[in-house]
Amino acid sequence: MLALVAATLVSVGTTAASQEAAPPVVPGTPCTATATACVDLVGLRAWLFQDGQVLRGPVPISIGAGGEARTPAGRFRVEWKNRDHVSGESGGPMPFAVFFAPGGIAFHEGNLQTKSAGCVRLSRDEASAFFDHLQVGDEVQVHDDPAPA
């Protein structure tokens, strides 16, 4: 009986500790406070965070067309940046490129009225702000589920 009580207490303690360890979701976004950049693929918007608070956003975005050109959901890290990048695939300009996901997926300036090849396109002012704020190693969260109300 004592072993059952001890096992229950350990189980309850482990559950409580894991619930406490989960970082909070930043209000009005689908992302947690550990992110520096947040992307909502459903609502077509993005944010920049600093210390768990919204620094910029929501801002409008354009995303991948789907299939092989989809924008992947998940948690990523900024890998590298290039202010004047040119796409190796299309030869098109990708100003203020901040690469964060496999396959050359980046935030960058681009047309918000058309779909991309998987990147997250931003207006010029927003792309510049994302480029300036995001640093290599920063967490980027990309969600394809609806943001909480």
Side-chain angles (χ1 to χ4, degrees):
M1 180 66 158
L2 185 57
L4 178 59
V5 170
T8 301
L9 288 174
V10 168
S11 174
V12 169
T14 303
T15 302
S18 66
Q19 288 174 350
E20 289 176 33
V25 171
V26 176
T29 79
C31 300
T32 66
T34 61
T36 305
C38 175
V39 177
D40 173 5
L41 298 175
V42 175
L44 297 178
R45 54 199 179 151
W47 297 261
L48 287 176
F49 298 161
Q50 185 166 349
D51 301 324
Q53 301 292 315
V54 173
L55 178 67
R56 192 172 190 105
V59 300
I61 62 172
S62 175
I63 60 172
E68 289 194 25
R70 72 176 178 78
T71 304
R75 290 177 185 246
F76 307 98
R77 296 275 175 195
V78 172
E79 297 172 359
W80 61 290
K81 299 168 32 167
N82 183 341
R83 184 178 300 274
D84 299 308
H85 190 73
V86 175
S87 170
E89 276 183 27
S90 69
M94 296 172 58
F96 304 107
V98 179
F99 293 87
F100 64 86
I105 304 299
F107 292 107
H108 66 84
E109 177 188 348
N111 184 343
L112 299 181
Q113 305 308 310
T114 61
K115 297 287 186 176
S116 73
C119 289
V120 177
R121 290 189 190 148
L122 300 156
S123 70
R124 181 171 185 79
D125 287 347
E126 301 306 338
S128 175
F130 274 61
F131 185 88
D132 289 344
H133 184 68
L134 291 170
Q135 301 301 313
V136 171
D138 283 349
E139 183 176 351
V140 176
Q141 294 179 17
V142 181
H143 288 265
D144 59 3
D145 50 343

